[in-house]
Amino acid sequence: MTGAPTGGPVPGLVPGVVSVALMLALWAVAAAVLDTPRSLPGPAAVAARVAGLVMSGELWLHAGMTLMRVLAAFVLAMTLGVGLGLWMGRSRGADHWLNPALVIALNMPALVVIVLAYIWIGLNEAAAIALNKIPLVTVMLREGARALRPDLDEMAAAFRMSRLDRLRHVVLPQLAPHVAAAARAGISLIWKIVLVVEFLGRSNGVGFKIHLLFSSFDVAGVLAWALAFVAVMLAIDIGLLRRWEARANRWRRDAA
């Protein structure tokens, strides 16, 4: 049995579009019933603000800065998290030594990490955000490494594969679904933390603009900036991450 092609339409796209349309309709009804445009503007008013941001070019400037920070933190967190998770999953000793620190990091509030980073290293956003994301990736990859098939390890040992070849051809293909899941789960967390960092101490980015609009109680502006960037991240999820996850899981369907 061959897996479903990964280049076609994204599975579940139509139900997803219908679901979003229903949420927009519910929002429009609530805005009309409450009739308080200052505190709950309708979708049309927010869409008009988004269109203005697009036409002025302001959206591209600030959303671009936020996206750069998201990508930098994402790459750093995934690189370190995958390495730590693989090490802890394959080495009982490493897991015993590092697990207490991992549990502490998982339970440390993101805001505390950001504030401490601001005090200690001047709000290096990539490091501060990655510190919040690394524990999650580490846990997901550790569990994936623990679930690796021992018969494939035995095959690799029988064929005397080098460590690098074993990593490339035996370990990483089995870990790919876990890496893809960690990427999808983490990127949404990362961009929210990026907004907090920008809210606290940056002079550009979506979080900075939300901070200014929050100060003037401009709810329509806050929603316009937030939803515009949500649309960007949704496009990345649907166009890249979801397809990558489907491709990473294809071997499971092929083996069924």
Side-chain angles (χ1 to χ4, degrees), residues 118-142:
Y118 182 80
I119 295 171
W120 292 338
I121 57 178
L123 199 60
N124 183 311
E125 60 269 359
I129 299 159
L131 286 174
N132 284 288
K133 174 69 171 61
I134 289 170
L136 176 63
V137 179
T138 300
V139 167
M140 296 181 72
L141 268 295
R142 180 183 64 180

Side-chain angles (χ1 to χ4, degrees), residues 4-16 184 238 242-243 246 253:
T6 58
V10 177
L13 181 60
V14 173
R184 285 196 65 203
I238 293 174
R242 191 171 300 184
R243 293 181 182 276
R253 296 192 300 269

Side-chain angles (χ1 to χ4, degrees), residues 15-30 43 234:
V17 171
V18 173
S19 176
V20 171
L22 290 175
M23 286 189 287
L24 289 175
L26 181 61
W27 175 14
V29 170
L234 187 61

Side-chain angles (χ1 to χ4, degrees), residues 6 72 84 88 99 138 147 156 184 192 210 242:
T6 58
L84 280 173
M88 294 178 68
N99 187 65
T138 300
R184 285 196 65 203
K192 294 168 188 173
I210 290 176
R242 191 171 300 184

Side-chain angles (χ1 to χ4, degrees), residues 11 25 36 85 119 132 144 199 204 208 231 248:
T36 53
I119 295 171
N132 284 288
F199 192 97
N204 52 43
F208 166 72

Side-chain angles (χ1 to χ4, degrees), residues 7 21 26 31 44 70 80 130 153-154 190 197 222 239 241:
L26 181 61
V70 169
L80 295 178
D153 277 339
E154 293 171 2
I190 284 178
V197 171
V222 170
L241 296 180

